[in-house]
């Protein structure tokens, strides 16, 4: 594993969340942190300015392997960013039913949680957690 700047730390997730300036974004990030912890059974860990759950080896396009979280989130100014839910255009069936969102490579961007179908979001998180935990799944090795 090569050395990366973004690594898990012992910094307080609660303190990090308390420092989020936008009250709506803070509340959404707190709700998502609780939801992901409930689904995964893993404690949240601060990775720089991202909150991660679980840990796995991640191989980048250049073939280098790094430690990374399985599912994560970040309360960014523009949107609540969820990581590990849309790799390689996956989960289109759930994303169609989710509600207002945008996606990037492996990222799901939500402006507001109150506009999305929380049951669909729970299913999306559970599906990705299960796939990442299954060593025979292509998703587990191709991230």
């Amino acid at each position: 594993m090569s050395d990366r700047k973004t690594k898990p730390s012992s910094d307080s997730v609660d303190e990090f969340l308390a420092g989020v300036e936008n009250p709506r974004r803070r509340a959404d990030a707190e709700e998502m942190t609780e939801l992901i912890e409930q689904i995964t059974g893993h404690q949240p860990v601060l990775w720089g300015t991202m909150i991660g759950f679980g840990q796995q080896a991640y191989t980048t396009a250049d073939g280098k392997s790094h430690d990374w979280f399985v599912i994560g989130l970040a309360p960014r100014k523009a949107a609540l960013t969820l990581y590990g839910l849309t790799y390689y255009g996956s989960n289109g069936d759930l994303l169609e039913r989710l509600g207002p969102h945008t996606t990037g490579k492996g990222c799901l961007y939500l402006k507001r949680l109150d506009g999305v179908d929380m049951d669909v979001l729970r299913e999306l998180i559970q599906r990705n957690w299960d796939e990442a935990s299954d060593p025979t799944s292509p998703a587990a090795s191709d991230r």
Side-chain angles (χ1 to χ4, degrees), residues 25-101:
R25 186 79 67 235
R26 181 182 332 109
D28 285 352
E30 289 169 345
E31 183 177 345
M32 283 308 305
T33 299
E34 290 176 23
L35 179 65
I36 298 170
E37 181 178 356
Q38 182 182 70
I39 291 169
T40 67
H42 282 254
Q43 293 291 313
V45 174
L46 203 57
W47 294 63
T49 60
M50 296 174 281
I51 301 167
F53 298 84
Q55 193 165 327
Q56 65 184 353
Y58 174 84
T59 304
T60 55
D62 61 4
K64 293 181 181 176
S65 186
H66 309 278
D67 285 333
W68 201 246
F69 47 79
V70 177
I71 294 175
L73 67 102
R76 304 289 186 221
K77 286 186 181 184
L80 180 65
T81 304
L82 300 171
Y83 300 93
L85 301 180
T86 61
Y87 286 109
Y88 307 109
S90 64
N91 298 306
D93 61 321
L94 293 175
L95 294 173
E96 287 176 4
R97 298 184 293 133
L98 181 61
H101 71 278

Side-chain angles (χ1 to χ4, degrees), residues 8-19:
S9 74
S10 60
D11 293 346
S12 170
V13 171
D14 290 337
E15 286 179 21
F16 169 73
L17 289 171

Side-chain angles (χ1 to χ4, degrees), residues 104-117:
K105 182 182 176 186
C107 298
L108 174 65
Y109 304 102
L110 303 172
K111 297 271 187 195
R112 301 169 62 134
L113 280 186
D114 62 5
V116 300
D117 184 322

